[in-house]
Amino acid sequence: MNFRIARRSAATSLLALSLATVYAAPALAADAPADDHSTLASAPAPAPVSQLIDAVSIPYESFKLDNGLTVLVHTDHAAPVVAVSVWYGVGSKNEPKGKTGFAHLFEHLMFNGSEHAPGDFFEPLQQVGATDFNGTTWFDRTNYFETVPTAALDTALFLESDRMGYLLGAVTQDKLDNQIGVVQNEKRQGDNQPYGLVEYEELENLYPVGHPYHHSTIGSMKDLSGATLSDVKGWFKDHYGSNNAILVLAGDVDLATAKEKVIKWFGAIPAGPKVEPVSAPVPTLPATLDKTIYDKIATPRVYRMWAIPGLDNPDYIPLTMGATVLGGLASSRLDDALVRQQQVAVRVSASADIFAQAGQFVIYADAKPGVSEEELGKALDAEIAKFIANGPTADELQRATTVYAASQIRGLDHLGGFNGKAPTLAQGLLYNGDPAHYKAELEAAAALTPAKVKAITAEYLKRPAFELTIEPGTRKAGGEDRGGWGPAPLAGANGKNVPARHPAYFMAPDSEAGVAFASEAERSKVPEIGQIKPLQFPKIERATLSNGMQVFFARRDAVPAVTVKVDFDAGYAADPRDKLGLQSLMLQAMDEGTTDLDPTQLAIAKERLGATLDGYANLDQTSFGLNALAPNLAASFDLLADYIRHPAFRESDLERVRTQQLTRIRNELNNPGAIAQRALMPLIYGDHPYGIPPSGSGDPDVVAKLTRADLMQFHDTWLRPDRAKVFVVGDTTLAEVTKLLEASFGSWQNPAGPAPAKDFTATIPQQKSRVILIDRPASPQSVIYAGRVLPEKGTDDLVVLDAANEVFGGSFLSRINMDIRETKGWSYGVRSTISQPVDLATFTIYAPVQADRTGDSIVALRKDLDAYTNLGEGVTAEELTRLVNGNVRELPGRFETSRGVLNGMVNIIEKNRADDYYETLGAKYAALTASQLDAAAKADLKGSDLVFVVVGDAKKVAPQLEQLGLPVEVREPAGSDSGVDSHVSKGD
């Protein structure tokens, strides 16, 4: 359950725009390699967006029950699954004074059981193989969603209807007390992160006291602690009626079936009281507001913020496009001016965060070390002023809308979850009275002109701004007392008022006037699941290019897009021990252009194609990802080949990305989770290639000295055709893919000599269980990270071991999460993991817990582990049934999208599985026995040599560790906010 979900960004597109113009490659640089660049220079122009935009479509049908429930149905039989999404028109903006955090708290409670399904809702959902199941709360809405096998649709509808109409009898004081603790730990976890207090500053300073958007969705500790059983029951009665809800079914279901099942399960639920509209005028600050706060960060950050209109005002679309041009594209104005040219910032961003009735235009820049906040602020303000005066060019606006149109097309590959077809329809109806509002947004964006974007953006950005500066240092106060509603009611808002607009979903378009109430459904037990259709994993086709590159292809034509991954056998484990961070720096430098394209030109080329292209790595592979629109596949492959084969590594660009990576390392050394990971892996792996900080960012002293020659040598040594595998999934054919790849990569030849190999022969150090405490003063939460190296390799068949871990800590319903979170309320969530790299695997436990329960949490974790592995409390019949059912039944949902198929194919090939691995996996799970899981747990999930790293406030935590009876070593952090010693700071 989560409230900090991606904010509803405004949609834009370009139905009528054409992309007839394409970047013409400049002449080759003098130091360019001698191999063939002709494919890039002669690449075809991108297809006109008018050819692509017809694919942005979510056909739907609708009906409405007499109790006011509006139902939308999108039929798509591509996979045997149905996405179920229920949206309620209630969020934190509906909370009165003294009740902040209630909407989100109630979202948690609605997972804790209903009158006819009294247990945790994750139990039946996992039993039926649900994927993408969760709930979220934000200012304007609360939603619940799950994607289930078609045969389990009755189960999902039973559960959703039971918590809509039959909840209150299951809400107890014990459940309320527990979830208050869980939500408060969610608040602590967010507050404990770098920049964790920014949202409070943003809302409390842009919106006056009493404004519906003044307080955060997480609420205040005081209000949460004061929630009573009568409070929350009243909240449910007032806001969770069927007439305040939208139900969307998307996937393997037709209208007739949907109508029959929805009437059966929801028809007898009575309507609730009407939820009155909330007035949320857009305020204007009376004067510029300047504030400085301190946080554990690497370098100063300068913000500029304004309150702007929401989805009920058409101005949000040009504002969103203005923000995209200014700081949302890789080729943005701010990136080009502040990061690349003036080099006063290491990172910039601009976004329009749009809600139903208001939003924020937020710009920020992170200072390059040695640059003062004043200098950065002046440079930032100058660029904003230029944009206000001149607006975007036609080409910038076209690229911004192209990027959005491409993202819309890719989004159609997903039925449910956070951003798929079902939520797109629901939020259009909820916020704008039209499920197809995404189309209206596309059309409005297509009609935008540079003059329109300039005028609207200038209108709002000329107003006084909230100027927030965050300096490295110790926080003056935490978030314990933040997030509340405010001390006084709203008397009025300054400036532009946007009339309150009630959500219009009571009138479903093209729907029947109403469907009669049904008789009470049989609710004595959760419905039995029907026959699950067997998984049919797409056929993996193979080819080999003339230079030896292997190609693996699976066809999926749900959307006109193609997903590509190029894997090289390298990864962070290939970094020389005396050059940790080399590969990460190389990958960042590759984003700065090729020998044909400078950084801005490379970004522009991607944007014009509507493609995403980047490089990344894990321990074992160095990978390059491409997501291309099918009509632009040839040009996209050419760009991918140029990106991989011809990095420029210009000295000026190298120094800029070096500074960015050093800043990233300093930020890791201020982030509690990253601190723990950087400490644990070298401890347990020793001199093994995996005994390095897992982010791959490396050692700052090393990164500071790396040269262009180092980068070129690594690139030419490890990135070579005979080490490459190309994985392709999408709307094309193997013949076409092979032809295009041959044209773009075929001339690439292997260097002389054999390919390098990684040495995994290092001895793993023997461990005894102990605690490493890393001091992070003033932390409201401690991060516990524990681990041990296993004798198994990731290429081994670890189905049994992974299943044993799932029972202990690998799922929401695992023993440690139900103990630490659901029973004790000490954490927002606890997990254990079996990592499976190519060589030796690990067993790790991750537990962010409230600071005053750090020692108790380690005691509980050790006790749970000992009970599982040594005291005979092995896998129960109930746990085994849940595990088997969930893993077998979820298989169709795992491969619903092209990305899911790609990941499955990569796993099959990289770990030498049979092509039918996933089709036989269900039988493997079905054959599991409790004794098998118990044996695997006893062999590998040991506590005797488990090393614990704790990152927290040593003054609070150290005394708690005395009860453990384990050796404790207290360390100062390896780096801190003082690490930016060249920073020029203004006085306190």
Side-chain angles (χ1 to χ4, degrees), residues 279-343:
S279 177
V282 178
T284 296
L285 294 175
T288 297
L289 178 59
D290 185 0
K291 186 174 183 180
T292 298
I293 63 173
Y294 299 86
D295 205 349
K296 297 178 186 299
I297 56 175
T299 186
R301 175 175 287 184
V302 174
Y303 281 92
R304 301 291 185 261
M305 309 182 198
W306 298 261
I308 57 175
L311 293 168
D312 55 357
N313 185 314
D315 287 353
Y316 81 87
I317 296 177
L319 283 165
T320 298
M321 299 319 301
T324 302
V325 171
L326 187 57
L329 298 173
S331 66
S332 76
R333 292 281 187 91
L334 294 178
D335 273 289
D336 198 48
L338 303 186
V339 179
R340 298 189 185 105
Q341 295 181 20
Q342 301 175 40
Q343 297 192 27

Side-chain angles (χ1 to χ4, degrees), residues 1 55 83 140 150 190 198 271 304 400 465 502 513 578 627 655 680 691 711 757 810 899 972:
M1 288 83 79
D140 307 297
T150 308
V198 170
R304 301 291 185 261
H502 194 45
D578 60 349
N627 197 303
E655 291 312 308
L680 180 64
L711 271 61
R899 177 59 62 182
E972 292 298 316

Side-chain angles (χ1 to χ4, degrees), residues 383-395:
E383 292 305 317
I384 295 171
K386 288 180 185 177
F387 192 77
I388 290 172
N390 302 319
T393 66
D395 185 61

Side-chain angles (χ1 to χ4, degrees), residues 298-300 367-373 471-472 980-986:
T299 186
K368 178 181 177 180
V371 175
S372 70
E373 300 93 304
E471 292 190 17
V980 192
D981 51 14
S982 60
H983 162 57
V984 180
S985 176
K986 63 183 180 183

Side-chain angles (χ1 to χ4, degrees), residues 52-262:
L52 309 173
I53 206 64
D54 286 344
V56 186
S57 177
I58 313 174
Y60 71 91
E61 298 171 280
S62 65
F63 60 93
K64 191 171 185 177
L65 303 189
D66 279 349
N67 60 12
L69 178 66
T70 300
V71 185
L72 306 175
V73 182
H74 165 69
T75 300
D76 181 350
H77 297 298
V81 295
V82 181
V84 179
S85 195
V86 182
W87 288 55
Y88 293 90
V90 56
S92 58
K93 76 179 181 186
N94 299 90
E95 296 164 348
K97 184 179 180 181
K99 311 294 184 186
T100 62
F102 269 46
H104 176 237
L105 174 62
F106 210 89
E107 174 229 307
H108 278 245
L109 286 168
M110 288 182 73
F111 277 96
N112 277 185
S114 57
E115 293 172 10
H116 304 102
D120 194 295
F121 266 41
F122 282 85
E123 173 70 37
L125 286 172
Q126 189 168 325
Q127 286 274 11
V128 302
T131 52
D132 279 337
F133 54 94
N134 211 324
T136 75
T137 311
W138 207 223
F139 293 103
D140 307 297
R141 53 91 182 132
T142 303
N143 67 350
Y144 303 88
F145 53 89
E146 57 272 340
T147 299
V148 297
T150 308
L153 179 56
D154 274 305
T155 304
L157 295 177
F158 165 83
L159 293 171
E160 291 295 354
S161 63
D162 214 59
R163 63 177 163 194
M164 178 186 288
Y166 308 90
L167 182 82
L168 292 184
V171 177
T172 65
Q173 188 66 50
D174 285 346
K175 289 181 179 180
L176 175 59
D177 292 343
N178 171 259
Q179 290 306 310
I180 288 173
V182 170
V183 171
Q184 288 179 330
N185 274 300
E186 183 177 355
K187 177 179 168 69
R188 292 186 184 101
Q189 185 167 319
D191 293 350
N192 197 38
Q193 303 305 308
Y195 310 106
L197 305 183
V198 170
E199 184 188 66
Y200 301 130
E201 297 290 347
E202 178 181 342
L203 300 176
E204 292 168 9
N205 287 286
L206 286 179
Y207 299 100
V209 170
H211 191 284
Y213 294 156
H214 174 84
H215 69 271
S216 73
T217 300
I218 195 69
S220 75
M221 288 289 192
K222 181 180 178 181
D223 287 357
L224 289 167
S225 295
T228 68
L229 203 57
S230 61
D231 285 335
V232 297
K233 289 187 175 183
W235 181 265
F236 175 80
K237 292 175 182 177
D238 290 342
H239 298 97
Y240 279 84
S242 53
N243 51 316
N244 194 36
I246 300 165
L247 168 63
V248 185
L249 304 179
D252 189 24
V253 61
D254 56 39
L255 179 65
T257 302
K259 190 175 293 187
E260 174 192 352
K261 292 182 182 298
V262 171

Side-chain angles (χ1 to χ4, degrees), residues 530-588:
Q531 183 66 38
I532 299 287
K533 297 178 183 178
L535 171 69
Q536 292 184 328
F537 193 84
K539 179 183 177 182
I540 300 176
E541 302 178 64
R542 291 166 167 81
T544 303
L545 302 186
S546 59
N547 62 0
M549 292 178 72
Q550 300 176 66
V551 181
F552 305 90
F553 172 76
R555 179 165 173 78
R556 194 174 186 282
D557 59 2
V559 294
V562 179
T563 303
V564 182
K565 186 182 185 192
V566 184
D567 270 359
F568 293 88
D569 181 9
Y572 294 133
D575 271 3
R577 264 305 170 107
D578 60 349
K579 293 184 179 180
L580 293 183
L582 170 59
Q583 184 171 186
S584 183
L585 185 64
M586 179 200 74
L587 290 170
Q588 287 189 81

